[in-house]
Amino acid sequence: MADNSNFNKKHSLGQNFLTSDRIPTRIADECGADKESGVIEIGPGLGILTKQLSRVAAKVVAIEIDSELIPILAERFNEVTNVSFINADVLKCNLKEIIKDNFYGMKVHVCANLPYYITTPIIMMLLEGDYGFDTITVMVQKEVADRLCSKCGDKNYGAVTASVNYYASVKKLFNVSAANFSPKPKVDSAVIRLDVYKDKPIKPDNEDVFFKVLKGAFENRRKTLVNSLLSVFGTDISKEEITEIVSLTGNPLVRGEALDLNQLCFISNEINKKIYKLEEPR
Ligand code: SAM
């Protein structure tokens, strides 16, 4: 599906379109969809990935913010029966309703060559919304892919990596060079796949407290975890109590980024007990 539309691409909407079927074919083949499942595509553009998704999935619903693309897409897909388009901003539409209306009782996958200007907000919205997605396969800037795939202790590992890894296991599928897009972006890309946990391995007693601990742990990398947590929870518990809790890791001077999700969950549970004055069971 070549770009023969004379469509003027909008930089402000992250419109760097894929130029050959090779990469979209591979994305569709590796996104986990099959003929029993549905796919939500974000940002179909001129439909190059949509075409491959319609080949592997039972049904595809593609959400595109740019109203100028909708008539072009409608014409290109007028003979394809398992694809429909919604003209909306994915961050503002009601995904639960879209899933109920289109994919009732089916496994649902998300697949996208994401607009770079809102990659992280879209990924976090898809994970935090509790939509029950099976997988989320997205093309993002290579640097973002490397950050999301990094491990605890790596210099790239941060609050977003930790949060994404709380919801899903993350894997890089392959790198994609900038030469595969029109217009050609300044940076290379990579495709990552998030296999969303049905049953999360980390189970904090209080998710709000857990996310505040994550934020505190990575916000200021030069501070010790005690000082970072003091700026987040200082109105609820004392420095002595926070020091006592952090010391349970074996090092009262530890920095947040050195701790894995299990350890941060443990700390959040201890803080939660102190804030809500919960007694240990006897
Ligand atoms: N899928 C096409 C491809 O691979 O060639 C286009 C990908 S292009 C990187 C990103 C697409 O997302 C564009 O079509 C853009 O208009 C659309 N888009 C940007 N922001 C959006 C949003 N908030 N909601 C839905 N679509 C959006």
Side-chain angles (χ1 to χ4, degrees), residues 13-18 43-45 48 64-65 89-90 113 115 117-118:
L13 292 178
Q15 291 180 347
N16 299 93
F17 293 168
L18 284 161
I48 196 163
E64 172 57 59
I65 195 171
D89 178 343
V90 72
N113 170 14
Y117 73 108
I118 42 169

Side-chain angles (χ1 to χ4, degrees), residues 7 9-10 12-19 23-24 27 41-50 62-67 69 73 86-93 111-118 122 139 180-182:
F7 176 77
K9 301 177 193 86
K10 301 175 185 74
S12 62
L13 292 178
Q15 291 180 347
N16 299 93
F17 293 168
L18 284 161
T19 52
I23 304 291
I27 297 175
E41 185 192 3
I42 299 164
L46 290 166
I48 196 163
L49 175 59
T50 323
I63 302 168
E64 172 57 59
I65 195 171
D66 188 348
S67 58
L69 284 167
L73 288 164
I86 296 175
N87 181 205
D89 178 343
V90 72
L91 290 176
K92 294 191 184 143
C93 62
C111 202
N113 170 14
L114 283 181
Y116 292 163
Y117 73 108
I118 42 169
I122 291 179
M139 173 125 67
N180 289 284
F181 300 85
S182 166

Side-chain angles (χ1 to χ4, degrees), residues 111-233:
C111 202
N113 170 14
L114 283 181
Y116 292 163
Y117 73 108
I118 42 169
T119 303
T120 305
I122 291 179
I123 293 175
M124 291 318 297
M125 174 278 287
L126 294 171
L127 292 169
E128 286 168 357
D130 199 17
Y131 298 110
F133 295 128
D134 211 61
T135 63
I136 299 171
T137 303
V138 283
M139 173 125 67
V140 295
Q141 287 187 21
K142 185 171 171 297
E143 185 204 340
V144 175
D146 289 339
R147 190 175 330 131
L148 293 181
C149 294
S150 65
K151 300 281 169 245
C152 161
D154 292 354
K155 71 174 182 343
N156 275 342
Y157 190 89
V160 176
T161 315
S163 306
V164 169
N165 279 274
Y166 168 65
Y167 291 108
S169 72
V170 187
K171 169 166 114 185
K172 190 196 272 190
L173 296 182
F174 52 93
N175 291 329
V176 180
S177 90
N180 289 284
F181 300 85
S182 166
K184 187 177 161 193
K186 290 197 181 70
V187 291
D188 290 332
S189 298
V191 179
I192 54 170
R193 174 167 148 171
L194 280 54
D195 285 84
V196 183
Y197 293 127
K198 300 273 167 294
D199 182 23
K200 296 188 197 75
I202 309 280
K203 298 183 172 54
D205 295 341
N206 182 330
E207 245 189 13
D208 289 341
V209 173
F210 174 66
F211 280 113
K212 281 187 186 164
V213 168
L214 285 194
K215 191 163 167 274
F218 295 100
E219 208 160 49
N220 191 337
R221 285 169 180 262
R222 275 184 302 202
K223 281 188 184 175
T224 62
L225 182 59
V226 169
N227 285 333
S228 302
L229 293 178
L230 194 61
S231 48
V232 183
F233 296 104

